[in-house]
Amino acid sequence: MSSCIKSWPHLTLYGDLNMRPFRNVWMLEEIGLSYHHVNCKPWSKITKSVHPLGKVPALVVKDDDNQQQFVVLESAAINTFLGDLAREIEGNKRTNDDFNNEPRILLVPPPATQLRAKYDALTLFIMTELDSQALWIHRKHNDLKDVFGEAPVAVVEAKRQFENALDAIELELNDESGYLLSSGFSACDILLSNCCFWAQQIGWLARKPPSNESSSSSSMVGDTTISKSPTPKLASYLARCRRRNAFVKANELRKDQANERKEHHRSKI
């Protein structure tokens, strides 16, 4: 039977920050945890050493207190684990005065609560309806078509799926908190905003609302070349997420990774 982790373990995150591991670096920066990052591509030898399918991300957790080491897979599961860990460890250190004078930021709500049920539902919705059934289909059959084959009909349907799912989850944005949960910014906001930024990169989502109020917010059905325009509410939400200090730091780390890769490439020429 495994024991609860009572102090911060050693954390090593594996993966390319241009991919889903960016979500985990953002989460780690939100919490302020010390961690080590190993930049590696999917299916590489080093990735296969920590993930049975050679995928990223993978988080290796070394818990010296309980003399155990284990690996957490999947970006959403990693962030939920980190949020649970931060809440429990920090909660154990806080005094009554801390609870009275300093409000806690719940990046992941405690289990067996209404807020946690909402968090879990939103997280699974984002990962299934926006990520795996839409964005990942585009990546598989467009960017990685040499590996998985071309499937233009599937990509068209994936874009339609993304637009419908985005419309649905936008209704969940809380007017008071400005985020998905009434308690404020959480790990599910990292997932949603990251999926939206991914969609912007591939041209599925415009970066700004239409200047003409009469313009349609949706692209033509079956046309993968026209970006869906975000509503003012969604655009404001995404801008708010981008301004967070942890996102800015994570983005700087991603740029540093890109620069290091360029330098490495030049050194080989």
Side-chain angles (χ1 to χ4, degrees):
M1 184 175 181
S2 61
S3 302
C4 291
I5 301 175
K6 298 181 180 179
S7 61
W8 293 117
H10 299 283
L11 302 171
T12 303
L13 178 69
Y14 290 78
D16 187 331
L17 298 188
N18 286 311
M19 300 177 183
R20 293 184 182 93
F22 179 83
R23 302 167 179 175
N24 306 124
V25 168
W26 183 356
M27 182 70 169
L28 287 161
E29 294 296 336
E30 288 282 353
I31 299 172
L33 286 176
S34 173
Y35 64 94
H36 177 60
H37 172 239
V38 177
N39 178 21
C40 53
K41 293 285 190 181
W43 309 311
S44 64
K45 184 176 180 180
I46 189 170
T47 306
K48 289 178 179 178
S49 70
V50 292
H51 194 298
L53 297 179
K55 294 185 176 183
V56 295
L59 181 73
V60 175
V61 181
K62 185 180 180 183
D63 175 19
D64 291 337
D65 290 343
N66 295 308
Q67 296 183 335
Q68 61 179 347
Q69 178 171 305
F70 57 93
V71 181
V72 186
L73 306 178
E74 299 296 326
S75 61
I78 290 171
N79 279 1
T80 299
F81 166 76
L82 291 172
D84 282 338
L85 192 63
R87 185 188 62 252
E88 295 305 313
I89 292 177
E90 290 301 312
N92 290 337
K93 294 179 180 178
R94 291 163 68 92
T95 64
N96 289 333
D97 287 339
D98 290 330
F99 282 104
N100 292 331
N101 299 326
E102 182 185 349
R104 297 176 68 192
I105 298 175
L106 289 177
L107 291 169
V108 174
T113 63
Q114 181 180 3
L115 204 59
R116 179 56 172 264
K118 179 83 168 179
Y119 167 86
D120 287 339
L122 290 170
T123 295
L124 288 171
F125 183 92
I126 294 166
M127 292 304 296
T128 55
E129 304 295 333
L130 288 170
D131 188 317
S132 63
Q133 291 195 61
L135 294 163
W136 177 237
I137 297 297
H138 175 276
R139 179 157 175 76
K140 283 180 70 174
H141 298 298
N142 189 287
D143 300 344
L144 300 174
K145 59 186 177 183
D146 292 340
V147 178
F148 296 102
E150 289 188 86
V153 175
V155 173
V156 169
E157 176 58 24
K159 183 172 184 287
R160 186 194 67 80
Q161 162 71 22
F162 174 82
E163 293 179 353
N164 290 342
L166 186 61
D167 287 342
I169 200 164
E170 184 180 342
L171 298 175
E172 299 293 336
L173 291 175
N174 187 282
D175 290 332
E176 292 185 6
S177 71
Y179 296 104
L180 286 170
L181 297 183
S182 59
S183 56
F185 182 83
S186 70
C188 56
D189 291 299
I190 292 178
L191 296 178
L192 176 58
S193 58
N194 182 255
C195 282
C196 289
F197 300 150
W198 182 353
Q200 288 174 340
Q201 290 176 341
I202 64 176
W204 279 9
L205 182 66
R207 297 183 182 275
K208 296 180 180 180
S211 55
N212 185 351
E213 293 184 1
S214 63
S215 299
S216 172
S217 63
S218 298
S219 62
M220 294 177 61
V221 175
D223 192 335
T224 60
T225 64
I226 300 178
S227 300
K228 175 182 175 65
S229 296
T231 64
K233 183 177 183 179
L234 179 62
S236 177
Y237 165 77
L238 294 177
R240 192 156 48 248
C241 290
R242 279 187 180 275
R243 289 194 298 267
R244 294 188 67 84
N245 291 334
F247 173 86
V248 173
K249 178 62 185 298
N251 206 34
E252 289 173 352
L253 293 172
R254 174 164 54 185
K255 291 177 182 178
D256 290 343
Q257 174 190 276
N259 291 333
E260 288 175 5
R261 187 168 293 158
K262 288 179 182 177
E263 289 299 322
H264 180 70
H265 178 70
R266 289 195 191 103
S267 67
K268 288 187 172 182
I269 298 176

